[in-house]
Amino acid sequence: MLRNDLSVTWRHDEDGRVYQVVDSETGELFEFGEKEWFLLSHCEVESFPPELIEEFEEKFNTEITPGQLESLLAIAKEWGLFRDIDYPGRAEGEVIPISPSNDVAKPGKEEAPRDTESSQRPIGRRKSGRGGPWTKQDVSSRRRRSGADECDDAELHWTWFDPNDLFLTLSRLLSPLRYVLYVLPLMVVIAIFVVINNVPELVHDHTQYRKPLNLLQALVFGMFSVNLITQAGRGIICRALGSNVDGFGIRLILGLLPRFGVHVRDVSSLDKKPQMWAHAAPFLIRLSLFSFCTVFWMATRTNGTLLPSLWLMMATISGVSFIFGSNPLIRSGGYKFLTTWLEIPNLRRRAKRALFRKIKGGKGAQSSDDSVALRAYAISGLLFWIILLGVLWTIAARWLETNF
């Protein structure tokens, strides 16, 4: 029996009716296919009576195994959804009230067209796959925060064109570049070795090439080099993984700083591993740029051309942006990768809630979110921002002291 404090709505997509269940305690949103929801909304005391299974098979023309039922129950238990709920039968988009009654109104047994494909795959899975029990990979991609998911792309402020077909073609043409990942660890080690053993040369060249540029020129160079390569590469990788990239244009950082960006849809509908690759793509591209550009700078710095200056500036920009882009303490690719890997959506909000609950002395109802790890994450995030603001304040003070 499902909990009586859940809020349920439903909508239609290409695979039929999808039920959205919002957990009022955590703000998480869970999505279930019609077959999954039919079973969960009719289960009794965390079990499925034989007559319900018969009705399911008659309604959906699909057989279901005990292993699938056990897996579905295990997932719902882990997510803390069980209590008591009426079977929804309202209009699309209407919030369905939760009934404390144990009497569940069952839907009519109208004949549904036979789904031959669904009998060959886990019930409710939106992509064809192997048969057998439900797994967390089958359903976890539909566990999201209510409202805008923290792992969703922010909207572009200016969309120039739809690059979906272009990125699909480029993903096929550039597919051999995926083998760069095999040499990337070695290149990172070499780049770090170059930096450590050539600090004087690095400082000299940075002073010679970077200082003549003002802040605006440096930002423009970074935008049309590292930022453009990173965002285009991210869009191509996400397209190769199966997501749709429906926009390329400009996104304002902090509402002020223009940067190229892509808008990727359907990342959360991918399986766990492709999601992790999609979130890791930006900082892996920046790490690759840092490594290769550092090595190229050292290899060309004595040839008397402008190439060393370009390599050095790109290495510097990509290195700094990698540090921030891979940082899991801020909303970045690193944070999205971490939440997907741990399967803990809304991680920052949960961590803050756990810390505040501890500060208040543990008053109120206990939650599964009351863990030392979550509180440590919240404290780490707070310390990071304090240190960052302190560093920025110091830099600004020294600049003002020097120039005024």
Side-chain angles (χ1 to χ4, degrees), residues 152-227:
D152 289 343
D153 275 10
E155 294 293 332
L156 297 172
H157 291 86
W158 292 282
T159 301
W160 291 353
F161 64 95
D162 184 344
N164 208 44
D165 294 335
L166 172 63
F167 283 171
L168 180 60
T169 301
L170 290 176
S171 69
R172 295 166 179 166
L173 294 176
L174 302 177
S175 59
L177 288 179
R178 66 181 182 271
Y179 297 110
V180 171
L181 287 174
Y182 293 103
V183 300
L184 181 58
L186 177 61
M187 293 300 299
V188 171
V189 172
I190 295 175
I192 294 175
F193 180 82
V194 168
V195 171
I196 293 175
N197 289 275
N198 296 276
V199 173
E201 293 84 354
L202 185 66
V203 174
H204 173 270
D205 287 8
H206 183 271
T207 303
Q208 180 180 354
Y209 299 132
R210 168 63 183 88
K211 275 199 170 182
L213 298 179
N214 58 39
L215 179 60
L216 178 60
Q217 291 171 327
L219 290 175
V220 171
F221 176 81
M223 179 177 177
F224 283 90
S225 58
V226 175
N227 173 237

Side-chain angles (χ1 to χ4, degrees), residues 365-376:
Q366 294 296 312
S367 169
S368 59
D369 288 344
D370 293 330
S371 71
V372 176
L374 283 175
R375 294 195 292 269

Side-chain angles (χ1 to χ4, degrees), residues 168-318:
L168 180 60
T169 301
L170 290 176
S171 69
R172 295 166 179 166
L173 294 176
L174 302 177
S175 59
L177 288 179
R178 66 181 182 271
Y179 297 110
V180 171
L181 287 174
Y182 293 103
V183 300
L184 181 58
L186 177 61
M187 293 300 299
V188 171
V189 172
I190 295 175
I192 294 175
F193 180 82
V194 168
V195 171
I196 293 175
N197 289 275
N198 296 276
V199 173
E201 293 84 354
L202 185 66
V203 174
H204 173 270
D205 287 8
H206 183 271
T207 303
Q208 180 180 354
Y209 299 132
R210 168 63 183 88
K211 275 199 170 182
L213 298 179
N214 58 39
L215 179 60
L216 178 60
Q217 291 171 327
L219 290 175
V220 171
F221 176 81
M223 179 177 177
F224 283 90
S225 58
V226 175
N227 173 237
L228 180 59
I229 294 172
T230 300
Q231 292 303 314
R234 174 176 178 258
I236 293 170
I237 292 173
C238 289
R239 193 68 185 93
L241 292 171
S243 292
N244 290 310
V245 185
D246 59 3
F248 180 90
I250 297 295
R251 181 179 289 118
L252 296 180
I253 306 301
L254 301 177
L256 178 65
L257 184 63
R259 279 292 180 263
F260 289 116
V262 293
H263 187 265
V264 182
R265 293 189 292 110
D266 306 329
V267 172
S268 58
S269 67
L270 300 175
D271 291 337
K272 179 179 177 180
K273 187 175 180 179
Q275 281 191 61
M276 293 171 64
W277 278 113
H279 296 319
F283 59 82
L284 286 178
I285 294 173
R286 295 184 183 110
L287 184 61
S288 301
L289 288 174
F290 164 76
S291 304
F292 284 92
C293 289
T294 300
V295 173
F296 293 160
W297 161 74
M298 192 61 197
T300 60
R301 70 179 302 268
T302 59
N303 67 4
T305 66
L306 289 177
L307 281 178
S309 64
L310 297 177
W311 296 132
L312 178 60
M313 287 191 291
M314 287 185 64
T316 303
I317 295 171
S318 57

Side-chain angles (χ1 to χ4, degrees), residues 57 59-63 111-119:
E57 294 179 347
K59 178 179 176 63
F60 295 104
N61 294 316
T62 303
E63 294 183 357
E111 189 69 22
R114 183 171 182 80
D115 185 357
T116 56
E117 182 184 358
S118 65
S119 62

